[in-house]
């Protein structure tokens, strides 16, 4: 019998511009995760993107007063209850933005334990792509989330001239990260969902860890 509750993927976008390249990257990652989840199991998939620019004042008020607004409480609950999380920040001064960090400062430091997370960032220069490794990955490691191996960085030059299309490379990184998030979500929430990659999985396939261990044959 199939579970009837939908799988929930929540993307947090800390972009400030309108339109926002950070939001665009969050949308693309959420779509990739949704596509992979829908292809691999029968539960419906709910995707939600939270733009924390809309909660900026509530976040500041919560930091100083200790009390969240109803809207902020609801956003925090959506993040902590998600089956999979996508966290995307613009690079500000060589790190995650202050708003992004402040939002995650308000989440209980045990609430993301074990949660599959894709980390991603946008920036003006590709030279700051290591922000994913020196800032975002340690943040989610501290929160004991399970960050998938592929992180995604999009510099200005990775987007096409229209701003809505992207150049070679970024789409496959997005697909790979979305696929890894889907695998992590299914491994965690659907019993028996772990499986060896099939012939149609291509190079984006992720081999479940227990399968890798079984394949080691240490005798
Ligand atoms: C205050 C500020 C600081 C920035 N610092 C950096 C930086 O250190 N490195 C970088 O690559 N881009 C930097 N940028 C550029 C933004 O990261 C980039 O434009 C981002 O994609 C904007 O996202 P958005 O379109 O979602 O608002 C900075 C932008 C601002 C406004």
């Amino acid at each position: 019998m199939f579970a009837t509750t939908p799988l929930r993927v929540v993307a947090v976008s800390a972009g400030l511009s309108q339109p926002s390249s950070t939001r665009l990257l969050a949308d693309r990652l959420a779509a990739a995760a949704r596509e992979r989840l829908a292809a691999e199991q029968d539960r419906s998939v709910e995707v939600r993107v939270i733009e924390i620019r809309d909660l900026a004042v509530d976040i500041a008020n919560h930091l100083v007063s200790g009390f969240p607004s109803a809207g902020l409480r609801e956003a925090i609950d959506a993040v902590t209850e998600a089956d999979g999380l996508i966290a995307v920040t613009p690079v500000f001064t060589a790190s995650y933005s202050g708003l992004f960090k402040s939002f995650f400062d308000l989440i209980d430091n045990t609430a993301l334990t074990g949660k599959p997370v894709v980390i991603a960032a946008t920036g003006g220069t590709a030279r700051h792509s290591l922000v994913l490794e020196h800032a975002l990955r340690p943040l989610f490691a501290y929160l004991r989330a399970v960050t998938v191996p592929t992180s995604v960085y999009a510099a200005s030059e990775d987007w096409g001239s229209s701003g809505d299309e992207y150049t070679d490379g970024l789409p496959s990184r997005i697909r790979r990260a979305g696929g890894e998030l889907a695998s992590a979500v299914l491994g965690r929430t659907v019993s028996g969902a772990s499986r060896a990659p099939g012939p149609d999985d291509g190079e984006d396939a992720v081999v479940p860890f227990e399968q890798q261990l079984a394949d080691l044959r240490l005798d």
Side-chain angles (χ1 to χ4, degrees), residues 6 43-44 47 50 73 81 85 101 104 115 156 175 185:
R43 284 166 73 179
S44 59
V47 167
I50 297 172
R73 179 77 267 155
E81 290 164 15
L85 179 63
K101 179 64 161 54
F104 283 99
K115 192 177 301 299
S156 305
R175 268 198 309 279
V185 166

Side-chain angles (χ1 to χ4, degrees), residues 9 50 75 134 189 211:
V9 173
I50 297 172
H134 69 67
T189 61
Q211 180 71 50

Side-chain angles (χ1 to χ4, degrees), residues 89-101 120-123 128-132 134-136 139 153:
T89 180
V91 179
F92 280 3
T93 324
S95 190
Y96 33 58
S97 77
L99 187 61
F100 179 88
K101 179 64 161 54
T122 62
H128 281 169
S129 60
L130 281 176
V131 70
L132 291 164
H134 69 67
L136 278 100
L139 169 64
Y153 185 85

Side-chain angles (χ1 to χ4, degrees), residues 4-176:
T4 51
T5 52
L7 289 169
R8 289 158 302 180
V9 173
V10 172
V12 172
S13 168
L16 297 184
S17 314
Q18 282 189 315
S20 156
S21 58
T22 310
R23 169 68 197 250
L24 191 57
L25 183 56
D27 286 342
R28 295 288 205 269
L29 284 163
R34 180 210 288 273
E35 188 181 331
R36 195 62 169 262
L37 282 167
E40 296 203 0
Q41 48 83 55
D42 293 321
R43 284 166 73 179
S44 59
V45 181
E46 266 178 15
V47 167
R48 174 168 174 196
V49 181
I50 297 172
E51 288 222 52
I52 54 175
R53 74 189 295 281
D54 300 332
L55 297 165
V57 173
D58 304 52
I59 290 169
N61 282 337
H62 187 0
L63 284 169
V64 295
S65 72
F67 296 100
S69 65
L72 180 55
R73 179 77 267 155
E74 198 268 326
I76 290 172
D77 289 346
V79 166
T80 57
E81 290 164 15
D83 296 297
L85 179 63
I86 296 163
V88 197
T89 180
V91 179
F92 280 3
T93 324
S95 190
Y96 33 58
S97 77
L99 187 61
F100 179 88
K101 179 64 161 54
S102 294
F103 178 73
F104 283 99
D105 285 348
L106 293 172
I107 291 184
D108 187 284
N109 64 5
T110 60
L112 298 186
T113 301
K115 192 177 301 299
V117 179
V118 171
I119 51 172
T122 62
T125 170
R127 286 190 294 277
H128 281 169
S129 60
L130 281 176
V131 70
L132 291 164
E133 308 307 327
H134 69 67
L136 278 100
R137 206 175 283 280
L139 169 64
F140 287 96
Y142 169 73
L143 293 171
R144 297 196 174 86
V146 178
T147 309
V148 303
T150 299
S151 51
V152 181
Y153 185 85
S156 305
E157 70 226 41
D158 289 314
W159 303 99
S161 52
S162 75
D164 195 35
E165 296 303 318
Y166 30 38
T167 56
D168 288 351
L170 185 55
S172 67
R173 296 204 304 276
I174 289 171
R175 268 198 309 279
R176 194 165 62 233

